Amino acid sequence: MLSWVTSCLKNTATATPIPNGSGQPTENHADDKPKLQKTVCLSTAGHSSPNVKDPKVLVINTGGTIGMMEHENVLSPEPNVFVKTLRKLSILHDEQYAQQKKLKKDILVLPQSKQKKRIEYTVLEYTPLLDSCNMDKNDWARIGKDIEENYDRYDGFVILHGTDTMAYTTSALSFMCENLGKPVIFTGSQVPIFERRNDGRENLLGALLIAGEFVIPEVCLYFHHKLYRGNRVTKVDSGSFEAFNSPNLPPLAIAEVDIKVNWDTVLRANPTTKFTVNTQWKSNVGLLRLFPGITADTVKAFLQPMDGIVLETYGSGNAPDNRPDLLDAIREATERGLIMVNCTQCLRGTVTNTYATGQALHEAGVVAGCDMTAEAALSKLSYVLAKQDLSTQEKKEMLMRDLRGEMTPDLADSRFVQVIAKNLTISRKKGVLTSAVPTDGLAEADRLTLGLVKVWGVSARVTRVTLSVTGQPDADLPFTYKPEDQELQFDATSQSHTIEKPFTISWNEA
């Protein structure tokens, strides 16, 4: 069922641009709360204010290639030398300015930027330094808690991390960090910063500049001049400076002559909620990759001890539908409470039920993972399964929702966005959503099913929601209202209405 308002309305709805700290208007942001109201809540995304003290950034050095040195032809972490090296690099530290201003010994400072700012930063180095291959959820929790402990003292955070498992850590931290309102930017390098020719200096410099000069309230990954959403990346090349890619979402920012931020994509922070780090994590999850000829016994043995599985399937989420033994093994596991998320093995694309082979998994109880990376799906599964107050069905529903920008929810195919952009706009007045579907309706090929709808900024109590479609009788819709979030949510799925004629959704605000 297509949740068209929450996922795609931002492509067509209009809202007043939000001024950011620099006075520059910030466009609509792609979060899970589309701006349907004419008056929108204040967003903290944008440039940091020019009238405040120099930004302060905390750099957490967990280890990785960027700080390694060669010993007997093998690279390994070298403690207590990274900061000494930074002090010798003029692009990363202005020693003359530091002495002039009598900065504390543990503070480094960048040369003045084009915005007439100097970013001060402090390095917190882990002991021992870690190769990312040796990291696990306990290390993720440590990073999260260090951010939480220092959250009020710094304007942004840069995490130095090995590249091999960086995508797993950025995905995990994106879910652990709840109500994040400041940039958390992971970076590293393919070549140690001590080498004459390396990518570490530019990666660290770019991460520091973005963390200090822009308020991008997300867990991000910066590499080779591009800032990515952390739960959208995967490592694609072990021998190139362009080691990471975000297959299904364009970069949040690109650092060229100027740093250009795609504000339409950046998530919006909620300045009224307190930042916390949730380290409750379900460890008993795993990845199972299908391959031709995989046996049912292999699948059963893998699924038996698990609480959750990310199933990596062919193409757009397909598995053999002529293998009843295989499908029975999957169905038996889901019926006993194991939750399985279907992700494609392809680098790009999304999971759909277009083919019978994909529909077979849906009927066996497997949750569609849309266009999530395997790293993001695994982290999300661990995060959701740890919520003991939710039922199995509620956990499945949560997995299908976009929580941190990790997925494009309910995107059946690329035609969906094209149809919305071509045929549908929507406007909101008090208590009313009105479509702009052409009076002669949509072509049959463009008709879309109306499903879950969310509206924010509904300040009064709601007692009734009505759907009126041209040429059809009015229908009352089941709904929930959360006064603390001013959130109205209603579901037209049960009505089996399609977007083919003009319609109005109205509610009374008592």
Side-chain angles (χ1 to χ4, degrees):
M1 196 62 66
L2 293 172
S3 176
W4 54 272
V5 170
T6 56
S7 62
C8 289
L9 187 57
K10 66 182 179 65
N11 293 296
T12 54
T14 58
T16 304
I18 310 166
N20 58 35
S22 64
Q24 177 181 0
T26 299
E27 300 291 337
N28 298 347
H29 303 302
D31 59 7
D32 61 345
K33 296 188 176 183
K35 302 172 185 60
L36 301 180
Q37 57 269 50
K38 290 184 178 180
T39 304
V40 295
C41 298
L42 176 66
S43 170
T44 59
H47 283 284
S48 57
S49 174
N51 299 317
V52 297
K53 295 180 180 179
D54 287 335
K56 291 178 172 56
V57 174
L58 178 63
V59 177
I60 300 177
N61 181 14
T62 71
T65 299
I66 192 169
M68 289 185 178
M69 298 189 73
E70 188 173 301
H71 298 281
E72 298 179 356
N73 298 319
V74 176
L75 289 175
S76 61
E78 185 73 14
N80 305 317
V81 298
F82 188 72
V83 173
K84 295 177 182 177
T85 301
L86 295 181
R87 290 188 179 278
K88 298 176 183 178
L89 299 174
S90 60
I91 65 168
L92 291 169
H93 178 61
D94 188 338
E95 181 62 29
Q96 182 179 355
Y97 178 84
Q99 292 181 7
Q100 177 185 340
K101 292 296 183 179
K102 297 180 180 180
L103 298 179
K104 294 180 180 179
K105 290 184 178 180
D106 63 336
I107 296 177
L108 294 93
V109 59
L110 293 182
Q112 192 176 62
S113 69
K114 293 170 64 176
Q115 285 74 31
K116 306 300 181 182
K117 293 182 181 179
R118 291 182 181 271
I119 297 171
E120 297 179 5
Y121 65 102
T122 304
V123 178
L124 170 63
E125 184 171 292
Y126 281 4
T127 303
L129 291 168
L130 302 170
D131 187 303
S132 69
C133 294
N134 296 326
M135 298 180 75
D136 59 22
K137 67 181 182 66
N138 295 319
D139 300 298
W140 302 339
R142 179 184 179 186
I143 296 170
K145 286 302 181 182
D146 282 336
I147 294 171
E148 186 177 39
E149 183 179 332
N150 292 280
Y151 191 75
D152 294 330
R153 297 171 54 201
Y154 294 93
D155 302 294
F157 301 85
V158 171
I159 318 298
L160 302 182
H161 192 288
T163 60
D164 284 349
T165 65
M166 193 187 296
Y168 287 95
T169 306
T170 54
S171 292
L173 262 292
S174 75
F175 294 105
M176 287 184 173
C177 292
E178 299 179 341
N179 305 313
L180 182 62
K182 299 180 180 181
V184 174
I185 302 176
F186 281 73
T187 194
S189 68
Q190 296 283 66
V191 178
I193 202 170
F194 309 106
E195 298 289 336
R196 181 184 301 273
R197 181 175 176 272
N198 70 86
D199 57 330
R201 298 172 196 176
E202 287 295 329
N203 286 346
L204 177 56
L205 178 61
L208 285 168
L209 288 172
I210 294 175
E213 294 185 359
F214 298 90
V215 184
I216 298 177
E218 299 196 33
V219 175
C220 307
L221 188 153
Y222 180 83
F223 223 85
H224 198 62
H225 314 300
K226 294 178 181 178
L227 183 75
Y228 302 105
R229 180 167 296 155
N231 54 34
R232 286 287 196 153
V233 295
T234 190
K235 187 173 181 181
V236 296
D237 199 324
S238 63
S240 167
F241 286 164
E242 198 166 0
F244 291 91
N245 196 353
S246 175
N248 292 306
L249 188 77
L252 302 181
I254 298 178
E256 295 176 315
V257 175
D258 295 308
I259 297 175
K260 299 176 181 178
V261 180
N262 181 7
W263 292 114
D264 284 341
T265 307
V266 174
L267 298 179
R268 186 184 67 196
N270 185 344
T272 65
T273 52
K274 179 178 174 56
F275 169 72
T276 58
V277 174
N278 184 347
T279 59
Q280 298 299 312
W281 210 248
K282 195 74 171 181
S283 299
N284 198 25
V285 298
L287 291 164
L288 176 60
R289 187 179 179 93
L290 293 185
F291 56 87
I294 187 171
T295 66
D297 289 340
T298 299
V299 172
K300 287 180 181 179
F302 189 81
L303 299 182
Q304 183 57 43
M306 308 301 287
D307 295 315
I309 289 293
V310 175
L311 185 66
E312 294 186 276
T313 56
Y314 313 129
S316 57
N318 304 316
D321 64 350
N322 62 349
R323 291 281 307 280
D325 57 338
L326 192 64
L327 293 174
D328 286 345
I330 293 172
R331 184 179 296 103
E332 289 170 7
T334 60
E335 287 176 352
R336 67 173 170 82
L338 182 142
I339 296 180
M340 303 181 70
V341 179
N342 184 1
C343 288
T344 175
Q345 296 176 12
C346 298
L347 184 62
R348 290 183 177 83
T350 188
V351 169
T352 72
N353 293 328
T354 303
Y355 297 95
T357 46
Q359 183 65 24
L361 288 177
H362 174 73
E363 293 173 354
V366 180
V367 176
C370 296
D371 57 353
M372 281 192 291
T373 64
E375 295 94 333
L378 190 68
S379 297
K380 187 176 183 179
L381 188 59
S382 298
Y383 172 75
V384 171
L385 288 181
K387 296 187 175 298
Q388 299 180 1
D389 57 328
L390 299 181
S391 67
T392 299
Q393 183 58 36
E394 288 172 329
K395 290 175 181 177
K396 287 185 175 182
E397 292 173 357
M398 191 172 186
L399 284 165
M400 290 187 288
R401 293 203 305 270
D402 180 24
L403 304 180
R404 303 285 194 275
E406 74 282 355
M407 65 191 293
T408 310
D410 299 318
L411 186 59
D413 53 45
S414 60
R415 185 183 59 81
F416 177 63
V417 174
Q418 296 167 6
V419 171
I420 289 291
K422 182 176 67 174
N423 295 301
L424 177 63
T425 59
I426 198 161
S427 62
R428 178 189 167 189
K429 297 181 180 179
K430 184 175 176 64
V432 179
L433 289 176
T434 305
S435 76
V437 173
T439 55
D440 56 351
L442 300 180
E444 183 173 357
D446 286 344
R447 293 174 187 173
L448 300 167
T449 302
L450 179 61
L452 185 67
V453 181
K454 290 185 179 181
V455 183
W456 281 267
V458 180
S459 57
R461 186 169 62 91
V462 176
T463 58
R464 184 179 182 184
V465 178
T466 304
L467 171 66
S468 301
V469 180
T470 301
Q472 299 181 22
D474 291 353
D476 287 342
L477 301 180
F479 69 94
T480 58
Y481 176 65
K482 299 179 181 178
E484 65 275 12
D485 297 328
Q486 295 189 355
E487 174 190 308
L488 173 64
Q489 175 177 314
F490 42 91
D491 194 347
T493 305
S494 60
Q495 302 299 324
S496 299
H497 284 297
T498 57
I499 304 173
E500 57 178 304
K501 294 289 185 180
F503 65 90
T504 298
I505 299 172
S506 60
W507 58 92
N508 59 330
E509 298 186 6

